Amino acid sequence: MTSSDAFGVRIAGAGSAVPDRRLTNADLEKLMDTSDEWIVQRTGIRERRVVDQEVEGTFTLSRDALRRALDDAGMDARDLDQIIVATVTAEMTCPSTACRISAELGATPAGAFDLVAACSGFVYGINVADALMRAGHCRTIAVIGCDAMSTVIDYSERSVSILFGDAAGAVVLAREENDPTVGCIYSSTQADGSMWESLYMPRRSQEVPLQDSDNPIKLGCLRMNGREIYRFAITKFREVIQEALDATGLGVDDISQFVCHQSNLRILENAKQKLGLPDDKVHINIDRYGNSSAGSVGLCFDQLWQAGKIRRGDHVLFVAFGGGLTWAVSVWKI
Ligand code: UT7
């Protein structure tokens, strides 16, 4: 979909939130049969943040990230027309995390809903938000990507647990009357549901696929076939970036930042090498935060934004893939 309308969509502010508690590779060595060397070599991760489940979770991280994004935008929750929270770790499916945040921050009667697209959630969210705004339904939308993955991890499962961490990233989008060229200039929001069994969180044993029935999984915990996802991602990541460049006519030189889902350092390095993306255009924080699912793209964007590495007029490409399987890309003029 290529957007063109009478007004633009401005990223008015950004914010993020991560728990204080660190879970290092050395901590994991004490919990399971693994090593810092294996984890760093296979994933690039050295530590990740995890919530204190007594007092923190998806709700608190999302709320804090949005508070910071509103402060950054110089706006109040009452200014919002819509709140979208992308997450697969909501404490409750009803009400949505977005409704609870709206009540806490005072955004009523803004619309509020959660969106489930796993690691692609934040990019799905900004694509949906841009479409709602371009269609004239909303003037101001908050998009938050957040996952507290540590709440759905079985720490006896070493191939899954080493990968994930907890984080939230948020943006506040506002209608830009003066410059119709700012906002999303290309988006793609796609999925292949036939591959769902590669990454899922079953609530009931009936949903566990036959292939995994001999391999007991704790209900409510994440099950991932890492090798399958890796194979899928290594090609898809490159393909969707290339498609976005082809569709917009932009080259690597024209994009200021490729804001990528922090899935695994090897997947990111492969895309960088194959597409010729320079180091300073691909922000990497997976070493410190792990893979925070829907939190990762928003967290990267906020870190770049607060550091002044993204400026008005820049072109930025957002890209992610994840459970579903889902994938999404979005190119913005800031
Ligand atoms: O965010 C979107 C969703 N997820 C992803 O993007 C994940 C994509 N996949 C991956 O990042 C990688 O597949 C993993 C990091 C999850 C796993 O790395 P891998 O290189 O694919 O390892 P593997 O599962 O193929 O396992 C290789 C070996 C196995 O031993 P054998 O059978 O070769 O003897 C595993 O048992 O490594 C062993 N292994 C470990 N050893 C030490 C698996 N996990 C660990 C571990 N520590 N934590």
Side-chain angles (χ1 to χ4, degrees):
M1 188 193 87
T2 306
S3 303
S4 66
D5 264 309
F7 50 82
V9 175
R10 180 167 45 91
I11 298 182
S16 59
V18 294
D20 289 336
R21 188 181 280 185
R22 291 178 155 80
L23 183 68
T24 64
N25 292 349
D27 296 328
L28 290 176
E29 282 175 355
K30 290 178 205 142
L31 293 175
M32 62 189 75
D33 180 17
T34 192
S35 67
D36 175 58
E37 190 192 1
W38 192 95
I39 299 172
V40 172
Q41 193 204 358
R42 301 285 177 130
T43 69
I45 301 168
R46 294 183 184 278
E47 61 178 41
R48 61 290 291 139
R49 301 297 182 94
V50 294
V51 291
D52 172 353
Q53 292 192 34
E54 290 294 314
V55 288
E56 294 174 305
T58 296
F59 167 62
T60 59
L61 290 176
S62 305
R63 177 201 61 197
D64 294 350
L66 176 56
R67 261 200 190 121
R68 288 171 192 151
L70 284 166
D71 280 352
D72 187 49
M75 289 167 65
D76 189 271
R78 278 169 304 194
D79 300 325
L80 296 172
D81 294 330
Q82 195 77 232
I83 301 176
I84 302 173
V85 178
T87 185
V88 293
T89 57
E91 284 87 356
M92 293 187 269
T93 45
C94 181
S96 65
T97 312
C99 279
R100 292 179 67 200
I101 291 173
S102 172
E104 174 111 345
L105 299 189
T108 307
F113 64 97
D114 288 4
L115 179 161
V116 174
C119 305
S120 313
F122 181 82
V123 187
Y124 261 60
I126 56 174
N127 286 349
V128 169
D130 176 76
L132 283 171
M133 291 178 72
R134 299 277 185 188
H137 292 302
C138 304
R139 298 179 69 92
T140 321
I141 303 187
V143 179
I144 307 150
C146 177
D147 274 313
M149 295 304 288
S150 65
T151 63
V152 294
I153 292 293
D154 172 0
Y155 282 96
S156 65
E157 197 5 294
R158 66 178 182 172
S159 62
V160 179
S161 53
I162 50 108
L163 200 61
F164 293 97
D166 306 343
V171 287
V172 173
L173 307 176
R175 187 190 280 201
E176 173 57 66
E177 306 281 1
N178 299 323
D179 185 355
T181 70
V182 301
C184 180
I185 57 171
Y186 172 83
S187 71
S188 170
T189 308
Q190 298 188 306
D192 178 356
S194 70
M195 291 182 73
W196 74 266
E197 295 175 3
S198 315
L199 203 163
Y200 63 96
M201 285 194 303
R203 284 224 190 97
R204 313 185 308 163
S205 52
Q206 294 92 311
E207 263 73 59
V208 176
L210 264 185
Q211 69 195 29
D212 291 336
S213 51
D214 293 343
N215 190 358
I217 177 175
K218 281 191 189 157
L219 295 179
C221 285
L222 182 74
R223 165 61 64 94
M224 179 177 77
N225 183 331
R227 231 179 259 190
E228 240 171 57
I229 304 241
Y230 189 91
R231 260 200 305 273
F232 164 84
I234 210 102
T235 326
K236 188 53 88 183
F237 216 52
R238 276 192 277 123
E239 269 176 19
V240 294
I241 295 174
Q242 192 59 59
E243 277 167 21
L245 294 176
D246 293 345
T248 53
L250 297 171
V252 169
D253 291 348
D254 302 314
I255 305 281
S256 303
Q257 290 292 333
F258 294 82
V259 187
C260 302
H261 170 47
Q262 307 287 298
S263 50
N264 177 319
L265 185 61
R266 289 191 290 154
I267 296 172
L268 291 164
E269 290 297 346
N270 180 277
K272 277 170 63 182
Q273 191 223 325
K274 295 269 168 42
L275 295 164
L277 313 182
D279 287 346
D280 63 352
K281 290 192 176 196
V282 183
H283 183 62
I284 305 277
N285 64 17
I286 191 169
D287 52 327
R288 286 162 290 143
Y289 301 100
N291 176 338
S292 57
S293 183
S296 96
V297 174
L299 175 64
C300 283
F301 180 78
D302 184 47
Q303 289 179 340
L304 290 162
W305 181 257
Q306 304 305 339
K309 291 185 179 167
I310 291 172
R311 299 199 180 86
R312 299 274 169 222
D314 284 356
H315 283 101
V316 171
L317 184 149
F318 300 87
V319 60
F321 66 88
L325 297 181
T326 54
W327 60 94
V329 62
S330 199
V331 182
W332 285 62
K333 184 177 169 202
I334 302 296

